[in-house]
Amino acid sequence: DVKVTQSSRYLVKRTGEKVFLECVQDMDHENMFWYRQDPGLGLRLIYFSYDVKMKEKGDIPEGYSVSREKKERFSLILESASTNQTSMYLCASSRAGGETQYFGPGTRLLVL
Amino acid sequence: QKEVEQNSGPLSVPEGAIASLNCTYSDRGSQSFFWYRQYSGKSPELIMSIYSNGDKEDGRFTAQLNKASQYVSLLIRDSQPSDSATYLCAVNIVVRSGGSYIPTFGRGTSLIVHP
């Protein structure tokens, strides 16, 4: 079974803190993705990566950065958390070539 | 901006009926199409993928693709209360950098199957 894990299910942070969300997949997938999901807005792509050390901006990259030093791990960084970054964050992975995505369980982040 | 459009619903159907979920997309170059189901508080999981025009059946689910009309649908036969969830349509859109694909999701349709 494909497994995508995320470092935390729930996270509470203060405004201005630096926040790290980690995602690990065990299927040797080339592609990895970070989304946020908000009611009424659906899934919005923040960043994606199709290879180690490669990254591409998605639809809403502002306020976020990412790191992919190893193939299995993709980190999302909130440099200075703000209240409008309170959301559900979902990581996903897929093989190269536009295949099915497998999602992690999500991290519900609350920024106070 | 490449778009994927879905009716947000909710779509309410009685148990045992056929539920029909629809999705349109704007990028004519799209080649891969997916339906994901998402239960409340959970992450999306794949139900069906479809790549060619026509119908693809898997159990109670049928995906239909019409590339000329840029339309993809999901039919759920013999709907059950356990099918109540949000259904997300996803289309893989070609990006120039690296020749890779990125997925674009619709906002989802909420389905309620009532006993």
Side-chain angles (χ1 to χ4, degrees):
Chain A
D1 270 356
V2 175
K3 194 164 184 182
V4 180
T5 57
Q6 295 183 228
S7 49
S8 305
R9 292 299 304 272
Y10 301 94
L11 212 50
V12 180
K13 295 292 181 181
R14 297 282 180 188
T15 303
E17 280 192 76
K18 192 168 187 175
V19 182
F20 293 87
L21 303 180
E22 289 208 318
C23 176
V24 178
Q25 51 94 3
D26 67 357
M27 284 302 293
D28 202 36
H29 283 171
E30 289 79 13
N31 300 335
M32 296 189 74
F33 307 85
W34 274 107
Y35 297 91
R36 63 178 285 177
Q37 188 172 33
D38 302 286
L41 296 179
L43 277 168
R44 292 183 291 167
L45 183 63
I46 304 171
Y47 269 96
F48 67 101
S49 168
Y50 51 86
D51 203 352
V52 176
K53 296 192 185 293
M54 304 296 287
K55 60 184 179 183
E56 293 283 342
K57 292 180 180 179
D59 299 319
I60 51 164
E62 296 79 19
Y64 303 94
S65 61
V66 290
S67 172
R68 193 166 181 201
E69 296 296 319
K70 293 185 178 181
K71 191 175 185 180
E72 68 271 18
R73 189 179 298 268
F74 192 34
S75 300
L76 179 69
I77 303 148
L78 287 64
E79 296 290 342
S80 176
S82 64
T83 54
N84 63 12
Q85 292 179 309
T86 291
S87 186
M88 169 69 90
Y89 290 88
L90 289 161
C91 174
S93 71
S94 73
R95 292 186 300 176
E99 298 289 334
T100 303
Q101 289 187 89
Y102 296 88
F103 285 85
T107 296
R108 192 168 292 280
L109 173 67
L110 173 63
V111 182
L112 300 174
Chain B
Q1 179 84 8
K2 307 290 197 246
E3 293 186 343
V4 177
E5 300 285 344
Q6 293 181 257
N7 188 323
S8 62
L11 173 65
S12 182
V13 300
E15 184 174 357
I18 295 175
S20 178
L21 303 162
N22 304 314
C23 173
T24 59
Y25 60 95
S26 61
D27 181 22
R28 286 197 168 274
S30 300
Q31 297 294 324
S32 307
F33 306 85
F34 306 87
W35 282 100
Y36 292 83
R37 177 177 61 201
Q38 186 175 24
Y39 291 114
S40 180
K42 302 292 187 181
S43 54
E45 56 180 348
L46 182 76
I47 300 176
M48 298 277 291
S49 58
I50 187 166
Y51 304 93
S52 305
N53 277 330
D55 294 0
K56 179 182 178 183
E57 188 174 318
D58 183 0
R60 295 187 296 113
F61 299 96
T62 299
Q64 299 174 319
L65 175 61
N66 184 326
K67 289 185 180 180
S69 300
Q70 296 174 242
Y71 177 93
V72 57
S73 65
L74 179 71
L75 300 178
I76 306 174
R77 288 182 301 282
D78 189 24
S79 296
Q80 301 297 310
S82 59
D83 294 326
S84 299
T86 296
Y87 289 80
L88 303 171
C89 173
V91 176
N92 278 3
I93 302 211
V94 177
V95 292
R96 269 183 268 173
S97 56
S100 187
Y101 294 81
I102 62 168
T104 300
F105 283 81
R107 296 186 180 187
T109 297
S110 174
L111 173 66
I112 299 170
V113 181
H114 52 88

